[in-house]
């Protein structure tokens, strides 16, 4: 009962950890494996194997991250990771079923559109979280570059996509370490460049409130 004699309402929330680490893990894996094929570190006869990897590991990891991003009320991150997840799924499916070394105009168009949408979501993510937003934006550029190659551009575009993918894999791996340490210590250990609501979402911020609700996993509006 409250001071006016009205029965108090209690709201129980299940804490939700930041899904960024699992999403970035999937991105690092997918980017490096796909770049290995683009840069011919892997032979073309392993194209089907790469497709099966993309269908299983990064797709599943990023799908989970997408769901929990929305459960954490972080729509921008959820949208970005969701686009990544389904684009890797489509890329993996086509790679696993097509002739090694062949191009697909349909996949090229998909990558161009997915890259553009991903860049738009990345712009929203960058407002509170510049680090993951930048990685998402670079991934969108990588999709667009690959799409241009698939539509008939020279192999230089494929090589550029592979190089960008290696950079993305390194940046995503840094994000995994930085956000894992942040979650374990409940404060920034490595620079993550959070700002605004992104900074308030860190559990180490004393008495941080967002829209009148104490910032905590499960109730914060950004991961």
């Amino acid at each position: 009962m409250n001071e006016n004699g009205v029965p108090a309402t209690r709201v129980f929330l299940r804490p939700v950890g930041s899904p960024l680490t699992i999403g970035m893990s999937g991105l690092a894996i997918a980017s490096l494996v796909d770049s290995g094929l683009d840069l011919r570190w892997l032979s073309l006869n392993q194209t089907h194997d790469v497709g099966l990897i993309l269908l299983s590991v990064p797709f599943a990891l990023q799908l989970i991250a997408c769901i929990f991003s929305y459960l954490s009320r972080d729509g921008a991150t959820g949208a970005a990771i969701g686009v990544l997840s389904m684009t890797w799924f489509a890329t993996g499916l086509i790679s696993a079923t097509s002739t090694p070394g062949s191009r697909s105009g349909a996949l090229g168009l998909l990558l161009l559109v997915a890259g553009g949408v991903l860049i738009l979501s990345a712009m929203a993510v960058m407002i509170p979280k510049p680090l993951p937003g930048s990685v998402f934006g670079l991934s969108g550029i990588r999709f667009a570059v690959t799409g241009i190659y698939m539509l008939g551009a020279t192999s230089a575009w494929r090589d550029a996509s592979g190089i960008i993918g290696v950079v993305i894999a390194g940046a995503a791996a840094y994000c995994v370490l930085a956000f894992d340490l942040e979650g374990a210590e409940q404060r920034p250990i490595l620079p993550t460049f959070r700002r605004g609501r992104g900074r308030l979402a860190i559990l180490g911020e004393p008495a941080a409130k967002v829209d009148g609700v104490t910032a905590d996993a499960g109730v914060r509006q950004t991961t």
Side-chain angles (χ1 to χ4, degrees), residues 117-200:
V117 172
L118 188 54
I119 290 171
L120 294 177
S121 293
M123 292 170 64
V125 175
M126 285 183 69
I127 296 174
K129 295 169 294 188
L131 178 60
S134 299
V135 177
F136 291 147
L138 193 58
S139 299
I141 294 173
R142 196 262 174 106
F143 281 162
V145 171
T146 306
I148 292 172
Y149 167 72
M150 285 290 178
L151 291 171
T154 65
S155 60
W157 288 85
R158 183 200 66 208
D159 295 339
S161 173
I163 293 171
I164 296 172
V166 173
V167 174
I168 293 170
Y174 174 84
C175 287
V176 172
L177 178 60
F179 289 116
D180 269 342
L181 289 174
E182 181 183 87
E185 296 295 326
Q186 297 187 2
R187 62 185 178 88
I189 303 298
L190 296 175
T192 58
F193 309 105
R194 288 179 182 266
R195 58 193 181 195
R197 288 181 180 271
R199 187 166 182 80
L200 291 178

Side-chain angles (χ1 to χ4, degrees), residues 16 18-19 48-49 60 62 74 76 82 103 139 143-145 158 183 208 221:
V16 177
S18 172
H48 293 167
D49 296 339
Q62 292 184 329
D74 191 351
R103 304 193 197 194
S139 299
F143 281 162
V145 171
R158 183 200 66 208
Q221 293 190 3

Side-chain angles (χ1 to χ4, degrees), residues 42-177:
L42 304 174
S43 60
L44 284 177
N45 60 15
Q46 296 187 62
T47 301
H48 293 167
D49 296 339
V50 170
L52 292 175
I53 291 173
L54 296 179
L55 280 171
S56 54
V57 182
F59 163 69
L61 291 177
Q62 292 184 329
L63 181 61
I64 294 171
C66 172
I67 293 171
F68 278 92
S69 291
Y70 278 107
L71 290 177
S72 299
R73 297 191 294 180
D74 191 351
T77 300
I81 298 179
V83 170
L84 280 168
S85 174
M86 300 313 298
T87 303
W88 290 127
F89 181 83
T91 302
L93 189 61
I94 292 175
S95 297
T97 57
S98 62
T99 303
S102 63
R103 304 193 197 194
S104 169
L107 178 58
L109 288 176
L110 169 65
L111 290 172
L112 280 176
V113 175
V117 172
L118 188 54
I119 290 171
L120 294 177
S121 293
M123 292 170 64
V125 175
M126 285 183 69
I127 296 174
K129 295 169 294 188
L131 178 60
S134 299
V135 177
F136 291 147
L138 193 58
S139 299
I141 294 173
R142 196 262 174 106
F143 281 162
V145 171
T146 306
I148 292 172
Y149 167 72
M150 285 290 178
L151 291 171
T154 65
S155 60
W157 288 85
R158 183 200 66 208
D159 295 339
S161 173
I163 293 171
I164 296 172
V166 173
V167 174
I168 293 170
Y174 174 84
C175 287
V176 172
L177 178 60

